[in-house]
Amino acid sequence: MESDFKWMDASEFKIKVIPLNRKMMGFATRFLGNREDAKDLLQEVFLKLWKMKESLDQYENLEAFIIRMVKNQCIDNLRSRKTVPLYEQVEENLIDQEKANNEKEHNDRIERIKQQLSLLPEKQRLIMQLKDIEGYDYEEISDIMQMNINAIRVDLSRARKKIRELYLNNYGTYTG
Amino acid sequence: MELTQVKILLKKYYQSETTANEEKQLKDYFNTHEVPDELKVDRYLFQSLSDFSNEQGVSDDVSAEIISYINDYEQDRKSAKLTFRKKLTIYLSAAASIAILLTASLFIYQNRQYDEDRMGTITDPEKAYEQTKETLMYVSSLMNKSKQYLEPLEKFSEAEEEMKPIRKINESMKELDKIHKFKILVNEI
């Protein structure tokens, strides 16, 4: 009798898992705000995946499973960092804003959205990033966050409204 | 898309009720249209999200780094396995050598002691006789001791005695056999 269960071997791992690194890299870099940290983190996550490659085929949505691991690792990473008090961060960001005024509009927008997102509660920030930046749908986000879709909609709605409000408060003069 | 329609979609967007398609319509609209002041903040938000998700140098391909990291791990694991095997071989060889040495020395020591204690010390024949007698007495006492455990076996003999009457039946049967032969003889006649 042939089992439905397939073992993933090294070559399959290279075809199915490794290529997902780009998307994961995008997510982790944007979430951590640092490319080097993101790369180190991905190496660890992909090594974990490599060690468990025999059981990877049981996951229906491998990408969601992997990004969930990356997300959890990112959260651990952020929490283990020496905590930078939020006001300091904001102050730094405000200085960055001043510099950014002289740069291209494009870069300004990126800097600003990063700053605003960093002010959101962690869950809202993650959900908004997954939906509006990484482009995952509700089903996938539900799988990644292990939350039901309605709860995700509630958090997403709060996050979007909050970002809009922050824009109006902080950058009212730049939004033209 | 009409402005009123844009406003409706925006309201839905902030309620997280827009479909993926509706969100795309909004994005396209903001990319291509000038908007009234009240919607400038929304356009800025959409553009920012889009810029951030397309930021250069973020979604780098790091497969080479990941593969080399995995290879390093595999390499370490293999060499760790190898060193473990090497160590095990060395330990086992050492243990075997010690065991052989111990066995050999014990054997030699015991042999020597036996020679010295038993064989080489008694020179007087009288004493040797006494020693032998003593030993044989000891063996004999051991045998007597063992004999008591054999006593229950006597019950078998008793049982055999009880079976004797059965032999008598056998003898009678033999007598009857003679009559049988007589019968055959009569028949032949």
Side-chain angles (χ1 to χ4, degrees):
Chain A
M1 211 173 80
E2 213 181 280
S3 159
D4 285 347
F5 193 83
K6 262 173 54 197
W7 299 92
M8 189 179 277
D9 59 24
S11 58
E12 262 183 296
F13 185 85
K14 279 182 186 163
I15 296 164
K16 287 184 183 171
V17 182
I18 297 282
L20 292 170
N21 83 84
R22 288 192 68 172
K23 259 188 135 170
M24 301 302 141
M25 189 65 187
F27 169 80
T29 307
R30 278 187 280 264
F31 191 72
L32 297 173
N34 179 327
R35 193 189 170 279
E36 275 308 301
D37 284 356
K39 193 195 78 188
D40 292 348
L41 186 144
L42 280 202
Q43 286 180 329
E44 289 300 332
V45 170
F46 276 76
L47 179 62
K48 270 189 199 167
L49 290 164
W50 169 258
K51 289 180 191 168
M52 61 185 286
K53 61 182 181 301
E54 281 84 8
S55 56
L56 284 182
D57 269 331
Q58 67 183 295
Y59 296 100
E60 245 176 69
N61 188 341
L62 193 60
E63 186 178 327
F65 171 73
I66 296 173
I67 199 161
R68 194 161 79 216
M69 278 177 79
V70 174
K71 176 212 73 173
N72 291 338
Q73 201 74 37
C74 281
I75 291 172
D76 286 351
N77 184 303
L78 282 185
R79 286 181 187 163
S80 67
R81 282 181 191 177
K82 279 181 187 162
T83 338
V84 183
L86 201 59
Y87 61 88
E88 274 184 30
Q89 222 173 9
V90 173
E91 258 177 23
E92 250 175 59
N93 290 340
L94 286 172
I95 296 161
D96 285 349
Q97 283 166 30
E98 295 296 320
K99 284 186 202 162
N101 281 341
N102 302 324
E103 292 173 14
K104 282 189 279 174
E105 206 183 330
H106 173 86
N107 291 337
D108 285 357
R109 283 198 296 257
I110 291 175
E111 283 312 305
R112 284 172 193 160
I113 189 75
K114 278 183 193 172
Q115 287 158 19
Q116 305 316 311
L117 282 169
S118 75
L119 297 174
L120 290 178
E122 189 179 84
K123 197 165 60 172
Q124 290 181 20
R125 179 184 161 199
L126 268 169
I127 292 173
M128 188 160 176
Q129 185 180 335
L130 289 167
K131 181 73 178 74
D132 288 341
I133 296 159
E134 314 299 334
Y136 288 101
D137 63 29
Y138 287 106
E139 287 280 332
E140 288 168 321
I141 297 170
S142 158
D143 200 356
I144 296 163
M145 297 297 293
Q146 305 277 282
M147 286 167 66
N148 74 53
I149 291 177
N150 282 337
I152 288 166
R153 284 186 197 273
V154 170
D155 276 320
L156 180 63
S157 169
R158 283 184 188 147
R160 284 171 173 172
K161 284 175 185 167
K162 176 83 178 164
I163 296 284
R164 184 179 191 273
E165 191 190 312
L166 285 167
Y167 269 130
L168 277 179
N169 293 344
N170 295 333
Y171 305 116
T173 51
Y174 303 126
T175 50
Chain B
M1 190 160 55
E2 292 294 316
L3 199 62
T4 42
Q5 178 65 14
V6 174
K7 284 180 181 172
I8 291 168
L9 284 188
L10 267 178
K11 204 177 170 192
K12 277 179 81 182
Y13 172 79
Y14 289 111
Q15 296 295 336
S16 298
E17 286 165 0
T18 33
T19 62
N21 189 39
E22 287 168 338
E23 285 172 20
K24 193 180 174 294
Q25 282 178 42
L26 280 173
K27 203 170 142 185
D28 291 345
Y29 180 85
F30 287 131
N31 270 338
T32 51
H33 290 74
E34 276 303 312
V35 292
D37 283 354
E38 54 176 322
L39 296 187
K40 276 183 179 170
V41 66
D42 306 298
R43 187 179 70 171
Y44 195 81
L45 174 67
F46 268 81
Q47 285 175 335
S48 303
L49 290 170
S50 162
D51 289 342
F52 192 29
S53 71
N54 296 319
E55 194 183 4
Q56 294 298 307
V58 170
S59 303
D60 283 356
D61 187 345
V62 287
S63 26
E65 284 96 328
I66 288 172
I67 289 170
S68 102
Y69 194 69
I70 291 173
N71 282 341
D72 287 351
Y73 160 79
E74 285 296 327
Q75 212 62 44
D76 284 354
R77 208 168 60 118
K78 274 179 199 159
S79 60
K81 241 187 193 174
L82 214 71
T83 14
F84 176 71
R85 242 184 237 173
K86 266 186 192 167
K87 273 184 192 166
L88 196 71
T89 319
I90 292 166
Y91 288 145
L92 282 180
S93 321
S97 315
I98 291 168
I100 290 168
L101 274 174
L102 275 178
T103 320
S105 43
L106 203 71
F107 183 74
I108 292 164
Y109 175 74
Q110 269 189 341
N111 260 3
R112 186 175 295 165
Q113 218 179 26
Y114 181 75
D115 286 350
E116 282 169 2
D117 290 357
R118 304 284 171 198
M119 307 297 276
T121 47
I122 304 172
T123 40
D124 183 1
E126 198 71 25
K127 270 188 185 168
Y129 172 71
E130 282 302 316
Q131 181 79 44
T132 313
K133 202 175 149 190
E134 204 179 289
T135 312
L136 285 174
M137 286 298 278
Y138 176 67
V139 172
S140 147
S141 79
L142 280 181
M143 281 179 81
N144 281 339
K145 218 177 185 179
S146 321
K147 203 183 154 193
Q148 76 188 31
Y149 295 108
L150 292 172
E151 266 166 19
L153 287 179
E154 272 172 26
K155 284 195 176 150
F156 280 108
S157 314
E158 281 167 26
E160 204 196 349
E161 205 63 31
E162 298 287 323
M163 300 282 271
K164 267 182 186 165
I166 296 173
R167 269 190 218 160
K168 279 187 184 159
I169 298 175
N170 243 357
E171 280 161 24
S172 322
M173 289 296 279
K174 273 178 192 164
E175 291 301 315
L176 282 172
D177 201 39
K178 283 176 191 166
I179 299 170
H180 181 64
K181 275 178 187 167
F182 176 73
K183 202 181 165 189
I184 291 167
L185 205 69
V186 170
N187 278 347
E188 276 175 11
I189 296 165

